[in-house]
Amino acid sequence: MRQLALVIAAICCAGMAQAQGEKAGDFDYYVMSLGWSSNWCALTGDDRSDPQCDAGRGLTWTLHGLWPQFESGYPSDCRTVQNDPNRNDSAQMADIMGGAGLAFYEWKKHGRCSGLSAKSYYSTMRKAYKTVVIPPIFAKISKDLHVPASVIEDAFAEANPQIARDQMTVTCTQGMIQELRICLTKDLEPRRCGADTIKDCTLKDAGLEAVR
């Protein structure tokens, strides 16, 4: 019985982590995710021949997404009466997201949960992205580095004194810097992240590939 109880508990906890098909607009705050473009290319984009990874793009921290979040867990693939964005709307997000494909994917998985129209969601993503200063030093990275993950947060904290340490977190994957995530209110003001969102990477030699 004890083993069965543990299995049931695990299933229930997994269900709490991601609620699919929830009502659009029902969430507590946003998580804005910024990804290091060159690392994404090394791990995923190059195999897809993604245009984001073309030499000369000069991309540093691109917008991965703006995710509606519960205080614990998050909704996804919500029911909505809003129409999907057209190709032109998605293409116009490529300057900050690296490509149109990611913009449309983020709309389908997360944007529908915002309760906004596709145009308004894209506009809100752009507005959120503009609230953060990307430290200029990152554009000067011309060779592959290995750095403590904490220096990423340090750099953003210095460039954005309005964002407290408990309002952002750095993630890693496969030994590389993955994302900087910033927690925002529905009005796009910095706020404390939920306990399940704060997952600071503790690597001392995380990979950070050169800007392409």
Side-chain angles (χ1 to χ4, degrees):
M1 288 294 292
R2 184 172 181 275
Q3 185 176 2
L4 178 60
L6 290 173
V7 171
I8 292 173
I11 293 173
C12 290
C13 287
M16 288 175 62
Q18 178 179 349
Q20 294 189 350
E22 294 295 297
K23 180 181 177 181
D26 181 17
F27 66 99
D28 297 313
Y29 68 101
Y30 287 116
V31 170
M32 178 172 61
S33 171
L34 307 180
W36 183 250
S37 179
S38 297
N39 282 5
W40 179 83
C41 290
L43 295 169
T44 303
D46 288 341
D47 289 339
R48 299 178 180 177
S49 299
D50 195 287
Q52 179 178 168
C53 306
D54 292 345
R57 289 292 304 272
L59 298 175
T60 59
W61 294 95
T62 56
L63 178 65
H64 181 174
L66 184 68
W67 307 331
Q69 194 86 8
F70 295 133
E71 294 297 341
S72 177
Y74 61 93
S76 68
D77 302 299
C78 297
R79 305 183 304 274
T80 181
V81 297
Q82 301 293 340
N83 294 325
D84 289 338
N86 59 44
R87 290 185 178 182
N88 184 59
D89 290 337
S90 295
Q92 290 182 6
M93 297 299 293
D95 62 323
I96 60 173
M97 299 189 77
L102 175 60
F104 186 71
Y105 174 83
E106 289 297 307
W107 158 257
K108 288 194 301 178
K109 186 172 183 179
H110 300 288
R112 290 172 178 172
C113 296
S114 69
L116 302 172
S117 68
K119 283 183 177 292
S120 292
Y121 178 66
Y122 281 170
S123 176
T124 300
M125 284 204 293
R126 186 175 292 278
K127 183 178 179 181
Y129 184 74
K130 289 182 177 180
T131 65
V132 177
V133 175
I134 306 297
I137 188 66
F138 287 111
K140 299 178 181 179
I141 297 177
S142 58
K143 63 180 181 179
D144 297 348
L145 304 175
H146 285 86
V147 300
S150 60
V151 305
I152 305 300
E153 186 173 308
D154 291 342
F156 274 89
E158 182 176 351
N160 297 273
Q162 78 280 11
I163 305 176
R165 295 283 183 161
D166 64 357
Q167 297 171 339
M168 58 180 160
T169 188
V170 176
T171 67
C172 296
T173 185
Q174 299 182 47
M176 305 176 77
I177 298 294
Q178 181 186 31
E179 296 172 346
L180 175 83
R181 297 176 180 177
I182 300 172
C183 297
L184 303 169
T185 67
K186 291 184 178 181
D187 293 327
L188 306 183
E189 296 293 332
R191 56 146 281 170
R192 189 180 189 282
C193 296
D196 60 344
T197 299
I198 299 177
K199 300 176 181 178
D200 285 333
C201 174
T202 58
L203 291 179
K204 301 299 184 184
D205 59 348
L208 193 70
E209 293 213 348
V211 175
R212 299 192 176 196

